Amino acid sequence: MRHDESPMRRAPRRPTPSEKLSRQAFADLVRARLVALGEFAHLHVHHDGQHIVVEQPGPPDDPDDREPVLRLTPLGGLPVQFGLSFASHDGSWEKLPVSGLLSDVLSQAVDMLGPYLATDNPLLGDTSGTDN
């Protein structure tokens, strides 16, 4: 067997309860920073593997049917740098030419994609949960 061949692949390690809590705390931090940048309290933010995903809530009759909008990916380095991707209509992620510290990437995301994050997103309809 060659050195680059492995007889068995290891199953991915499951996060410990403290790692899950830490990941959720980081997702909560991202959401808090978005809310500080504008009227984005309606957005849902969660961890998905190494990524942080920002989603619009679903329609008022099914708010859990969320629509992904942004994805932040850690790029490494100290302090940690992040990259930004935008959810395309076909379900894939389009990398954007944005990277940097979390606060800078979120500011650029709001500047570039604010309408997609707003409650009155024309592509998704009103996601505020109120009837206007």
Side-chain angles (χ1 to χ4, degrees), residues 24-67:
Q24 185 56 49
F26 188 69
D28 292 344
L29 170 69
V30 169
R31 186 176 182 282
R33 293 223 174 144
L34 282 169
V35 169
L37 291 169
E39 295 184 24
F40 303 121
H42 63 285
L43 296 175
H44 181 260
V45 180
H46 68 95
H47 239 283
D48 183 13
Q50 69 174 344
H51 309 286
I52 295 286
V53 178
V54 178
E55 299 172 323
Q56 283 277 5
D61 60 333
D62 191 7
D64 290 335
D65 184 21
R66 299 181 184 113
E67 189 70 34

Side-chain angles (χ1 to χ4, degrees), residues 54-112:
V54 178
E55 299 172 323
Q56 283 277 5
D61 60 333
D62 191 7
D64 290 335
D65 184 21
R66 299 181 184 113
E67 189 70 34
V69 181
L70 300 177
R71 183 178 74 179
L72 298 157
T73 303
L75 302 175
L78 288 177
V80 177
Q81 304 282 306
F82 290 87
L84 182 66
S85 298
F86 181 67
S88 72
H89 65 282
D90 66 3
S92 64
W93 291 100
E94 300 291 330
K95 290 181 182 177
L96 299 175
V98 174
S99 65
L101 298 175
L102 178 64
S103 57
D104 296 334
V105 169
L106 289 175
S107 292
Q108 290 180 58
V110 167
D111 289 345
M112 292 170 54

